Amino acid sequence: MLDDFISQFRLINAALNSVGSLGIGYLIFRGYKHWKGYGRETLMLVIMVAVYFLSFSLTRGDGVPYRYYHPVVPFLLILSAMGFYCMGRDTGRMRAFYIGFGVLLALFITYSSSSGLRESRRPQTMAGLWLAQYDPSYRGPVASDYSQPIAFTKMSYFPTFKNERLFRQLSHGENAPLPFKYIIVEETDGPGYDWARDYVKEYGWRLIYPNEEHPENERDLRIYQNPRYPE
Amino acid sequence: MGSESDSVQAKKTIALLLIIIILAAAQLLSLVFTAAGLNSDAYQYIAVTHRMAEDGILEGLRGDYFWPHYPVHARLAMYPLISSFLYRIIGDTVLSLRLVSALSGIALIPIGYLIVMELFKNAPLAIMSAALIGFLPKFTKTSVSIYRESLMALLLGVAFLFLLWAMRQKKPWPLWSVLVGLLTFAAFLTRPDGGAAAVAFGIILILLAPKALKMKRRLVICLLMAVTFIVLQAPYMIWMKRETGYWMFNQWQIHHHMSQSESAWRHFSEIYEEVDPDAR
């Protein structure tokens, strides 16, 4: 239980990029001097965060991604700004402090703009767009390690993770009710997914991606086609 | 002289706020249009948004059409619902979902400013808060992802602001109270922790409202919030009972009644006699 509480601080720190936590830390130590008389208002902000903190601590522990705190980050950032304001007042040189704060914001903008969003998932996007163009009319299921490639097609997603038995019931054998046309694997995944990699080799599924036009990708994502479907 | 100087200060503050909003909007929108890939939850939001736009809201609330084929999907409705309206205009589900997240992130900047002005009446603090909301990197990146958290942050922020206005008895305070109830319901339909936010609002109202707000008025505001929430929540719960056979507060609780594996096997065994649910 104590670990669950402590892990919430780590998550909040992650959600605030650590810099925001500095402001809150400063507020805790110096807030009494500069925000005297605003205890009630400060407590309102704290309660918004505390309710989230308690509910996650008691129910999910450290299984919570830091983005679950996103809804209360604005309240945390107001508290952080209060701490930074105290910092400025303590320096006695507010103008210089504001310039420094502006530099910090400029660094934030530079950092956020330095890399695109979800760059590591680009191979999944490329594969999905390729599959949508390769077979625009297929609406059936695709067994895939990840859902992202399927999101770019009109096909439906069937996770490979630990679903071998259901897959075989649906698709295996001469009179299979739902023969899957494609399987997508990413070679870097571990137990639970590996049955699909063995399956395509055992039953001679055809590797259609990567191909000459789209060579290897950093996720080692591969698309195989069921030999029951003609080319 | 004094009021002229105040007026000049106010104009400078508003100008700064506008600069922050424009810069943050430019950054968020550039991230939206240059995003390279999707996060893991995106597939389900895309499916629900598309279904709501094409076949209607109730059809979109049902879950049979995507893995694991729950009778109602566990992805709460508000984020894909709002995205479905945008999808009808722009015709691209991924872009619609990202834009709803991004626009929520942008709208939160003036909301944060207004909250600080309401609580502290301190313009420099309000500008600093707005700037942090607009530019903190992790907050920025989550605000353009296909996650419901960005919309949730906006709903909570606006509800909190309206609660402050109701507590200050800013006219018309009964309307602000009803709107807090409405937004809390919308938040509960976005993420289950909307329920926790409702508790927070109650604590703030009863224990931390200004001294000028008598307890009788606090209870009236609380009642207006609660009745609004219940009036919206009740038909939703009845609908879920009809669809699933279970009494639930929201669809996310379907997880507690059937596992993904159980739901998937049930779905396919109902369609194909070849599938034996006992083989699970």
Side-chain angles (χ1 to χ4, degrees), chain A residues 14 17 40-41 44 51-52 66-67 70 98 108-109 112-113 115 117-118 125 147-148 157 159 163 165 169 178, chain B residues 27 36-38 40-41 43 67 119 124 135 137-139 141-142 144 147 149 193 196 208 272 275-276 279:
Chain A
N17 271 112
R40 192 173 54 83
E41 289 80 5
M44 286 188 195
V51 166
Y52 262 66
Y66 73 79
R67 65 177 166 84
H70 186 98
Y98 288 142
F108 281 167
I109 294 171
S112 297
S113 309
S115 66
L117 195 62
R118 306 280 164 193
T125 304
S147 60
Q148 283 91 323
Y157 169 58
N163 281 320
R165 200 169 283 181
Q169 288 247 322
L178 192 63
Chain B
Q27 179 172 66
L38 300 175
S40 309
D41 297 350
Y43 170 75
W67 181 274
L119 287 174
F135 301 119
K138 283 251 170 79
F139 196 68
K141 293 259 166 121
T142 306
V144 292
Y147 287 133
E149 279 78 12
D193 30 280
L208 295 174
Y272 305 112
V275 174
D276 173 13

Side-chain angles (χ1 to χ4, degrees), chain B residues 246-277:
Chain B
Y246 300 108
W247 285 110
M248 301 188 295
F249 288 109
N250 66 36
Q251 290 162 235
W252 176 79
Q253 288 180 286
I254 194 68
H255 284 303
H256 299 146
H257 295 292
M258 54 181 79
S259 67
Q260 287 201 6
S261 173
E262 187 189 333
S263 184
W265 278 90
R266 174 192 57 78
H267 170 79
F268 286 111
S269 65
E270 280 170 6
I271 300 171
Y272 305 112
E273 59 184 33
E274 295 87 347
V275 174
D276 173 13

